[in-house]
Amino acid sequence: MRILALCFTLALISICRFVLACDPNQVCGPAALELSKNFTEKLQHIFKEATQVEELRKSFTETNLIKYKDLDGSELLKVTSDKLKKILKLKTEAVDKIADFVRKKSPTSYKAGVRDPPSCEYLLAKDRGILKTTNLTYRKEFNTEVDLTKTVIHVPTDVYEFSKEIKGAIRLTDGLDEVFIKNYNKDRFLFGQYFGSTSGLLRYYPAFFWDTDNKTDYYDCRERPWYIEAAGLPRDIVFLMDTSGSMFGWALRVAKYTAERLLTVISDKDYVAFYKFNLNATAVSCFNNLERARLKYKNHLIKYIKDITAQGASNFSRAVETAFDVLKTSSNLRKSSECQQVIIIFSDYVRSDYEELFRRLNPNRKVRVFTLAFGAPNQWDTSKLRDIACNNNGFFSSVFNYGDVVKAISNIFNVFGCVIIAFTCAYPLLTFSIYLSISLSAKISLHVGSHCLVTLIRFNPPGRRSTTSMIG
């Protein structure tokens, strides 16, 4: 596989060089030539980091230990399969040990809102003070300076570091250092171990300085592919955004921002349709049915969402009927994940809980309905939106400003994670065969390149059916 990756990389680089070698007077103008040059340089950089092509070259040119011999394909497949089983077994055992440690913690020691959790020492990844308090040493396998005796804590920029949720998660994971170190000593090919909380906290081993080059840090573990993939089964999602006159101004601005963030974090295994409604419900783009939530399609939707305006009255019943029709039609057209079905409603308020409407359209409550209320607190009566969500196995969130968005998204994915309980009596284990870690600017990536990633979802103690963390 490494040889194939090398050949593929060299082939693409050769193609780009061929493009640049063409006569600019016959092929393109100066602007297009400059664009082609920049594209080539970025493509070469990405593939060099992802495939470690220079390391491959050295491994084949700087050793005299290479031998050639005939191999039996079937035997080679069996040997490779056995090695992969051993590798994955070590990884899953490491994840299980982390999970066992966390499960043994007393729930009262971290339950937010009861009391302030006991204080404990910890290192913040973005604090330059760790450069003095840790023994950071460059290690080739991690591609940066690390301390193999400690862990670091990362908190998203838009999350209050001293909130009870963050302090509780810190206390809950206090002592994980020893578990991480034992796992690493047993398996030296563990290039990173982590605990990601629904509060946004990430505890990572080994310790390293999270250098963002003085730029804004937008990293949030809850929005990473490994977290989203593990947070639930594939979904069919229909977004309904209220664009009536009452949403004009700040409410619509925050609603559009929330929709963009949601589209950014959902998995490419999901299927999505986005509708806006006032008196009529219409798709924001030319796609009327569900489509696979690939990056290009999500960016396409975000482009149209930015242009949404608010005016007129609203017909909520017609919008909800349209959403259920989209789910049904897309399923018949095989444009569906054939798994969870979800409707997410963005509005400021509704005049009724529409109990009869949902009883007719969603008699078995198989379609989960989430409602997000936008606008100033107490400006409108949002109790009906809350009732709609509660009566349809969803969740209600009130979103006034940008700071409330992450919490609202987290609430939605907490419910997505609970669905897994209905499908398995054990904690599900997800293995991603390839995960690319490429750092183009900020020096915040450990083990740049491709690697295998194992993630385990951990639930709250019995009686509290919600996701609390991701372990890997």
Side-chain angles (χ1 to χ4, degrees), residues 10-81:
L10 293 176
L12 280 175
I13 293 174
S14 299
I15 291 173
C16 291
R17 285 175 175 168
F18 171 77
V19 172
L20 289 178
C22 296
D23 184 354
N25 295 323
Q26 296 179 5
V27 178
C28 55
L33 183 64
E34 182 66 22
L35 180 64
S36 175
K37 181 180 178 181
N38 292 337
F39 171 77
T40 301
E41 292 174 351
K42 288 184 179 180
L43 186 65
Q44 289 177 349
H45 179 72
I46 290 173
F47 273 91
K48 282 181 180 179
E49 288 202 336
T51 63
Q52 299 292 290
V53 61
E54 297 301 330
E55 296 299 321
L56 284 170
R57 283 200 182 104
K58 290 181 182 179
S59 66
F60 281 100
T61 58
E62 297 181 359
T63 180
N64 56 2
L65 301 177
I66 299 176
K67 297 180 180 180
Y68 300 91
K69 64 178 181 179
D70 294 331
L71 295 173
D72 178 77
S74 299
E75 181 63 24
L76 180 62
L77 182 62
K78 183 179 183 303
V79 172
T80 303
S81 176

Side-chain angles (χ1 to χ4, degrees), residues 60 75 88 133 153 284 287 290 312 341 343 385 403 413 424 439:
F60 281 100
E75 181 63 24
L88 290 177
T133 58
I153 296 293
V284 296
F287 295 96
L290 294 170
Q341 291 186 316
I343 297 174
L385 283 172
F413 279 92
T424 176
S439 178

Side-chain angles (χ1 to χ4, degrees), residues 140-156:
K140 184 178 180 180
E141 63 269 32
F142 293 104
N143 196 48
T144 189
E145 294 182 346
V146 299
D147 186 339
L148 296 176
T149 65
K150 294 181 173 65
T151 62
V152 288
I153 296 293
H154 177 271
V155 180

Side-chain angles (χ1 to χ4, degrees), residues 327-346:
L327 291 173
K328 183 178 180 180
T329 302
S330 299
S331 180
N332 293 337
L333 294 173
R334 300 290 181 89
K335 288 186 173 184
S336 168
S337 65
E338 301 297 336
C339 197
Q340 298 184 75
Q341 291 186 316
V342 176
I343 297 174
I344 302 179
I345 300 173
F346 302 76

Side-chain angles (χ1 to χ4, degrees), residues 14 17 56 77 81-83 92 119 138 164 218 221 262 289 308 312 358 364 366 375 383 426 459 468:
S14 299
R17 285 175 175 168
L56 284 170
L77 182 62
S81 176
D82 291 340
K83 287 183 178 181
T92 54
S119 61
Y138 180 82
K164 289 184 178 181
Y218 293 106
C221 67
L262 266 170
N289 295 313
I308 290 178
F358 283 100
N364 298 320
K366 291 183 178 180
S383 61
F459 295 98
T468 187

